[in-house]
Amino acid sequence: MSSNPQQSTSSLPTVLLVHGAFAESASWNNVVTDLRRRGYPVIAIANPLRGLKPDAAYVRAVVDSVGGPAVIVGHSYGGAVMAEAVEGAANVKALVYVASFTLDVGESCGDLAAKFPGSELSSALQPVPFPLPDGSMGTDLYIQQDKFHAVFAADVAADVAEQMAATQRPVADNALTDTATAALWKTIPSWAVISTQDLAIPPESMRFMAQRAGSTAIEVEASHAVAVSQPGPVAELIDTAARATAG
């Protein structure tokens, strides 16, 4: 038996789930349940949301802890983080973007969110200053709780959306303007879920990114919180990606 608690003993790849801004690991709960029922080992990574480089370094440490092949899945900003994190990671066999950013080198999440009209996120954000270790100040971004349901999770039950709003993890504002230094979709097969009722990332932006990356894409009538409202199609696409890249 391995001494590494993260190491998989399954014949299936480990699925690594990376949440985005204004969410947390529990946003994957129903996807985790579905994948585990299919036999997959799953780790929902706690994305720090502090900046593209430090977040990618943190995720990479988890990727490296997995003993065997892996499929990595990113939601929203988590897609940018996962692609940055897995450069040179030979065990990562597939990328799955879920209502996500598929960045090219030199691009930021802010660039792609603004490429096409339709996002209502910026007007719903609340900046909150916080102290940095060097004594300077940074800025965290939250979605205003009274706007969270409509902008982020319109197709989620109201009581669940209220919990999501209260437990949301803020993102440092610089994380959304940090530019990518890797575009692993150029070398690793990718799949994408396009949420057609998304008010955070315009669907046209997601279609543009998926087409550019050559991703195998599906469209789901869902809000940005598609992993919460429509976990079945999300898990099904992850399973498809895993089986297509097995062996």
Side-chain angles (χ1 to χ4, degrees), residues 62-79:
V62 180
V63 171
D64 288 345
S65 76
V66 173
V71 172
I72 191 164
V73 184
H75 174 246
S76 194
Y77 166 73

Side-chain angles (χ1 to χ4, degrees), residues 53-245:
K53 288 186 182 300
D55 294 346
Y58 183 91
V59 169
R60 178 55 178 268
V62 180
V63 171
D64 288 345
S65 76
V66 173
V71 172
I72 191 164
V73 184
H75 174 246
S76 194
Y77 166 73
V81 172
M82 77 173 185
E84 196 85 3
V86 301
E87 186 172 22
N91 63 321
V92 174
K93 305 302 181 183
L95 309 173
V96 183
Y97 293 92
V98 177
S100 186
F101 290 106
T102 310
L103 302 183
D104 203 349
V105 174
E107 292 178 340
S108 71
C109 293
D111 293 336
L112 271 298
K115 188 173 181 65
F116 295 92
S119 176
E120 298 181 11
L121 183 61
S122 61
S123 62
L125 296 178
Q126 177 182 356
V128 176
F130 70 93
L132 294 166
D134 65 3
S136 63
M137 297 298 291
T139 300
D140 262 342
L141 298 175
Y142 291 82
I143 298 177
Q144 298 170 46
Q145 290 198 26
D146 62 348
K147 296 180 179 179
F148 190 98
H149 192 187
V151 172
F152 196 87
D155 58 346
V156 173
D159 59 337
V160 175
E162 288 175 2
Q163 288 184 327
M164 292 171 65
T167 60
Q168 67 176 292
R169 301 247 329 274
V171 63
D173 63 350
N174 59 278
L176 303 182
T177 57
D178 288 346
T179 55
T181 63
L184 271 296
W185 44 265
K186 295 180 179 180
T187 56
I188 300 175
S190 62
W191 283 255
V193 176
I194 295 167
S195 43
T196 62
Q197 304 302 310
D198 204 309
L199 297 180
I201 304 176
E204 282 304 311
S205 289
M206 286 186 268
R207 293 186 184 106
F208 165 79
M209 290 183 281
Q211 183 175 11
R212 178 178 66 176
S215 303
T216 300
I218 64 168
E219 299 204 357
V220 179
E221 188 174 350
S223 72
H224 193 58
V226 59
V228 178
S229 65
Q230 297 282 344
V234 173
E236 182 68 24
L237 190 66
I238 295 168
D239 180 56
T240 298
R243 294 185 184 282
T245 54

